Amino acid sequence: MPPAYPSRREFAGALLATAAAPLWSRLGCQTPPSRKLGFALVGLGNLSTNQLAPALQRTRYCRLAGIVTGTPAKAERWKAEYGIPDESVYDYATMRRMAQNPDIDVAYIVTPNGLHAEHTIAAARAGKHVLCEKPMEISPERCEAMIAECERAGRQLAIGYRCQFEPHHLECVRLTQEKTFGPVRLVEAGFGFTIGNPNQWRLDRALAGGGPLMDVGVYALQTARMLTGEEPTLVTAVETKTDPVKFHSVEETLAFQLTFPSGVLASGVTTYNAQGPNDFTAFAERGSFGLASAYGYSTPQGRRSDGEALRFDPTDQFAVEMDAFAQCILDDRPTTVPGEEGLQDVRIMMAIYQAARTGSAVRLA
């Protein structure tokens, strides 16, 4: 039987209860495990090279045990740098052979969005747990296939929502749930940047599924859902495009609004053609709070309208994320960021695209 995943409100309550706790207490960690779980990085691009591999060296419950790449030169560099044995190096066509490698427990999928289902399914069929980068995939149907395959294999599937483990974000959830400034009425969030190379996969709809909304706008969507603990019932959106040549396949800039059952409104904006934004603010009856530099890899800058501190020690978000998933596997309990969480974001993003395309509000079930 597949694990029983928490509802959105149950998860928000869990965040509230644990936000102020020490890191290892939040993860349920008391003593070191008898062994660290072996992670294989599937895709050796910028994120794996500059964030995930270094973070694995700082984890308590994980270690880098294998790699999957289609570039032999990368494989050689990684073998030399991290001491990865030949038998733990794969390409995408040989991922199934991980089934014969007990040294690998988890496959972390870091390939382009439109390949997540293919590589997740291959890993699950090889008997490995899966941690998949966001967005989960480029359609709800592919997300559902990923969930089903992991359930058939009896393996957990988690989505890489690192902000759900970052102390500043958790504190903002606590402020919302405890109504420190009264009920939150409005959330404003945004993330964007000026994208470079026009030939990269992020500008190819077949691989990316969309533009900045799928890539970084999902952070703003996640913020709204985390803070409210609810699911939106109505979506409106508008898209603008100043460079139809560069952005012929995906959107350039998109703004959206979500209406939640409690009456909270959330406004989001995302872009590939401007430097910023990268923040969110929650406006409540008696004040406001939020984060600047909210979604980058560095420590966010907290702000409260009452002048009180919103500051925590720096955290390696990827290390915490991976340790949290490893601890769930070791304790045989479900992850708090399951495939169903990623599926819901993809469903909402598809509704946002529909609203932008048609110019009409889209009602969600």
Side-chain angles (χ1 to χ4, degrees):
M1 178 179 295
Y5 294 109
S7 69
R8 166 62 39 177
R9 281 200 174 278
E10 289 170 340
F11 178 55
L15 288 178
L16 170 62
T18 61
L23 170 60
W24 299 114
S25 174
R26 291 203 308 272
L27 298 184
C29 308
Q30 301 298 326
T31 57
S34 57
R35 71 178 184 95
K36 292 186 174 184
L37 296 188
F39 275 58
L41 295 179
V42 182
L44 303 184
N46 178 68
L47 186 65
S48 287
T49 301
N50 297 319
Q51 302 298 330
L52 299 181
L56 278 164
Q57 313 312 306
R58 294 188 281 270
T59 56
R60 190 177 182 184
Y61 290 83
C62 319
R63 59 186 177 81
L64 179 58
I67 54 175
V68 180
T69 179
T71 307
K74 284 186 179 180
E76 292 303 316
R77 288 198 301 270
W78 281 65
K79 283 165 55 180
E81 182 171 358
Y82 293 105
I84 300 170
D86 289 338
E87 60 269 22
S88 294
V89 177
Y90 306 89
D91 61 29
Y92 300 109
T94 61
M95 280 182 64
R96 65 186 183 279
R97 296 179 188 169
M98 286 195 294
Q100 284 76 52
N101 191 340
D103 205 37
I104 294 174
D105 303 284
V106 180
Y108 195 148
I109 311 301
V110 206
T111 48
N113 309 337
L115 300 176
H116 286 176
E118 175 185 341
H119 297 148
T120 292
I121 289 170
R125 289 178 177 174
K128 308 306 176 184
H129 299 280
V130 177
L131 177 55
C132 179
E133 261 305 309
K134 60 81 204 154
M136 185 174 173
E137 245 288 355
I138 65 174
S139 75
E141 294 75 19
R142 293 189 184 187
C143 295
E144 289 166 351
M146 295 163 68
I147 293 169
E149 197 65 44
C150 289
E151 287 181 350
R152 274 193 290 269
R155 293 296 180 263
Q156 289 215 46
L157 169 61
I159 309 303
Y161 290 126
R162 57 185 168 80
C163 292
Q164 294 203 16
F165 303 95
E166 200 284 320
H168 296 78
H169 288 260
L170 293 174
E171 175 65 3
C172 288
V173 173
R174 186 190 70 80
L175 293 173
T176 303
Q177 296 297 315
E178 292 188 354
K179 300 182 179 179
T180 302
F181 296 95
V184 168
R185 301 302 190 198
L186 175 66
V187 176
E188 293 182 351
F191 194 15
F193 63 95
T194 302
I195 201 164
N197 179 7
N199 298 314
Q200 63 180 283
W201 69 264
R202 286 180 174 81
L203 298 176
D204 180 351
R205 181 172 293 277
L207 285 176
L213 177 63
M214 296 289 285
D215 187 15
V216 293
V218 65
Y219 286 105
L221 171 57
Q222 268 278 301
T223 292
R225 294 179 61 229
M226 279 180 65
L227 292 180
T228 62
E230 297 180 327
E231 301 298 349
T233 56
L234 193 70
V235 172
T236 59
V238 62
E239 175 190 349
T240 63
K241 190 170 292 190
T242 65
D243 189 343
V245 175
K246 185 174 184 178
F247 300 101
H248 70 278
S249 180
V250 302
E251 76 275 9
E252 176 185 318
T253 299
L254 191 149
F256 61 91
Q257 187 174 79
L258 310 173
T259 303
F260 289 88
S262 63
V264 176
L265 289 179
S267 297
V269 64
T270 186
T271 183
Y272 267 167
N273 207 20
Q275 285 301 319
N278 179 7
D279 59 8
F280 72 81
T281 303
F283 297 92
E285 282 187 352
R286 300 189 302 273
S288 62
F289 55 91
L291 301 178
S293 300
Y295 306 117
Y297 304 145
S298 59
T299 303
Q301 302 165 23
R303 53 188 181 230
R304 292 174 46 147
S305 60
D306 60 1
E308 292 292 325
L310 203 172
R311 186 182 304 114
F312 295 88
D313 291 337
T315 298
D316 186 319
Q317 298 170 33
F318 292 104
V320 175
E321 168 193 80
M322 288 186 282
D323 266 337
F325 188 43
Q327 189 66 10
C328 287
I329 294 168
L330 290 165
D331 291 348
D332 194 25
R333 55 184 170 83
T335 173
T336 56
V337 285
E340 287 79 358
E341 177 80 352
L343 168 60
Q344 180 65 356
D345 274 342
V346 172
R347 284 174 172 161
I348 296 170
M349 288 190 290
M350 294 304 104
I352 291 171
Y353 281 132
Q354 180 183 344
R357 184 175 60 254
T358 63
S360 300
V362 175
R363 189 165 296 277
L364 299 169

